[in-house]
Amino acid sequence: VMVRGDPGRVYRIRVPDTLVSDQGVSIVEDLQIWSANTGDVSTARVSHMDLDGRDLLRITGRLRQEGSGRIGAIITALPLTIDYE
């Protein structure tokens, strides 16, 4: 995810730790967030823009499949918000 803003500005990343299906089953968990400017921000969820006003985030997680049936494709949306400090 490319983040753009004011050079050097600190920002907070708001994203849920876990995505839950309509049936109440966890489908994506153990989210990790890596910032090109700050490194691992999985816990602090705070980073900053570089001198050009950019940062690149890599967000990964573990997909959890319930049941023995094979699922052809899983699509989900991860709500993500960036707030300036």
Side-chain angles (χ1 to χ4, degrees):
V1 174
M2 176 60 74
V3 181
R4 292 190 174 120
D6 298 330
R9 188 90 183 252
V10 173
Y11 68 89
R12 183 168 298 282
I13 305 155
R14 300 199 188 281
V15 62
D17 292 322
T18 303
L19 286 179
V20 179
S21 71
D22 293 339
Q23 296 78 25
V25 176
S26 173
I27 53 174
V28 177
E29 49 195 21
D30 193 28
L31 287 174
Q32 301 292 309
I33 306 170
W34 181 86
S35 159
N37 296 338
T38 307
D40 185 3
V41 293
S42 301
T43 303
R45 298 193 178 183
V46 173
S47 187
H48 65 279
M49 304 296 178
D50 64 13
L51 295 177
D52 294 320
R54 289 183 262 179
D55 196 4
L56 180 65
L57 299 176
R58 183 179 65 208
I59 303 170
T60 60
R62 186 165 35 95
L63 177 65
R64 182 177 183 173
Q65 293 179 314
E66 295 294 324
S68 59
R70 185 173 177 173
I71 300 172
I74 297 174
I75 299 173
T76 189
L78 181 68
L80 174 86
T81 304
I82 303 295
D83 294 328
Y84 274 138
E85 290 285 299

